[in-house]
Amino acid sequence: PNPVPGRLLTPLVSWLLGLRGEGLLLVVLAVCLALPVLAARHALARGLGKAGAFLFAAALATTLVVRTSLHCGCYPDVVTYLALLGVWVWRARPGLAGLCWFLALLDHERALLLGPWVLAVLLDASRDGPGRRRLWAWLAPALAAVLWFALHAWLESRRPAEHSLASYLQPLLTDPLHNLRPYGLRPLVGWGSALQWVWLVPLVWGIGLVRGRRWRTLTVQVGLPVAGASVAMLAAYDWSRMAVLAFPCLLPALEAGLAAGGAWRQRLAWLLGAQALTPQVFTAWYIVEIMPSWLLPW
């Protein structure tokens, strides 16, 4: 009996590779490397050059997008984030993007909270495409959600009674702020810890969207990821982990900024230097900790 049987993907991949027990950590470590490498490859494909690719990868690797799993190997969160990165990279190919979202859901059910973002970015990317692509922009996320829900429901039926979903949600139905109210400023610290200094990238980009009155872009690419992460923080008190769910708002901001030229890249390089030298905070429940070896992962 498993208290979280629906979080299937990483254990399944590890098992299929013959990595049993603590061997799963090798899978998580490999994805900690794969995510920034593939992010850099995406930046190169977008014509951002080698320096832009390095900065793009560093913006993810120096935050809890990678650091969570790098330092807490039992949390395969980086696998979820790699799948969500795939949604963004393949947003013009709805079938592949839908598959990536399905894999993210299999890794952790909180990816469901990014469903509105997934649907919106697929629709935006398919707006000027052929009718078949626009159809798949609706159909692929719907199929992913239905297939995941059927599998998840079957797996949840095998969950021990003391860990049932109803028992978990009951306090939240009585008080939606149950996981926030008793803990003072710790949830806000947890929110800031997700990206730390790198939060400035989507913040500055978002201000530019407001000035340009690009309300739909602001809502879809910033508002929906932030809203999904905020709901996740209501549902669970490991706030640093939950807040990282907003990281997709960083992706278009990085693409736009790195394409803008040298001055923006220089500022980002200084920002990432500050990020690399700032101790990494991690917050959950009554705990506010500085991650050990936050600068030297080995």
Side-chain angles (χ1 to χ4, degrees):
N2 187 334
V4 284
R7 300 173 189 176
L8 184 66
L9 180 62
T10 304
L12 178 61
V13 170
S14 180
W15 184 82
L16 290 173
L17 292 174
L19 297 171
R20 312 298 165 85
E22 292 185 359
L24 180 142
L25 298 177
L26 297 176
V27 174
V28 175
L29 185 61
V31 180
C32 285
L33 176 63
L35 189 148
V37 168
L38 293 175
R41 178 66 185 87
H42 169 66
L44 287 172
R46 298 283 293 180
L48 300 178
K50 293 180 180 178
F54 175 79
L55 292 171
F56 198 109
L60 300 178
T62 58
T63 63
L64 286 182
V65 175
V66 170
R67 281 179 167 177
T68 299
S69 295
L70 186 64
H71 295 283
C72 309
C74 58
Y75 292 150
D77 296 18
V78 69
V79 179
T80 305
Y81 305 144
L82 178 60
L84 292 173
L85 175 65
V87 172
W88 175 255
V89 169
W90 283 319
R91 61 192 182 277
R93 303 175 67 181
L96 283 175
L99 175 61
C100 287
W101 188 46
F102 178 67
L103 293 176
L105 290 168
L106 285 183
D107 198 62
H108 201 293
E109 65 277 2
R110 73 177 182 272
L112 187 66
L113 297 173
L114 287 187
W117 171 77
V118 172
L119 179 60
V121 297
L122 295 191
L123 289 173
D124 282 355
S126 303
R127 182 179 301 171
D128 298 325
R132 183 176 181 181
R133 182 186 296 173
R134 293 196 299 272
L135 174 63
W136 272 103
W138 287 98
L139 191 58
L143 286 174
V146 169
L147 289 174
W148 170 80
F149 182 80
L151 179 59
H152 191 77
W154 176 72
L155 291 169
E156 286 290 315
S157 70
R158 304 171 63 84
R159 177 190 277 204
E162 64 269 23
H163 298 294
S164 69
L165 184 62
S167 67
Y168 182 80
L169 292 179
Q170 185 58 45
L172 295 174
L173 296 176
T174 305
D175 177 13
L177 299 179
H178 172 78
N179 289 327
L180 297 179
R181 197 188 307 280
Y183 304 104
L185 295 177
R186 292 180 184 86
L188 291 178
V189 174
W191 179 270
S193 72
L195 302 180
Q196 295 192 156
W197 292 108
V198 180
W199 274 119
L200 289 172
V201 175
L203 176 62
V204 171
W205 184 64
I207 292 172
L209 294 178
V210 171
R211 289 176 174 172
R213 299 183 180 273
R214 298 172 59 190
W215 304 116
R216 178 174 174 81
T217 301
L218 180 69
T219 300
V220 170
Q221 299 187 9
V222 179
L224 292 180
V226 168
S230 300
V231 174
M233 291 181 71
L234 291 175
Y237 54 67
D238 41 354
W239 305 296
S240 290
R241 293 180 65 204
M242 298 301 107
V244 185
L245 197 63
F247 93 95
C249 73
L250 176 62
L251 304 176
L254 284 171
E255 288 186 8
L258 290 169
W264 197 95
R265 293 184 180 207
Q266 289 178 4
R267 296 188 189 102
L268 179 59
W270 282 107
L271 183 71
L272 294 179
Q275 173 69 11
L277 295 172
T278 301
Q280 178 64 62
V281 180
F282 189 84
T283 301
W285 198 42
Y286 285 105
I287 300 167
V288 179
E289 84 171 294
I290 303 297
M291 281 188 167
S293 302
W294 54 271
L295 182 57
L296 303 176
W298 53 85

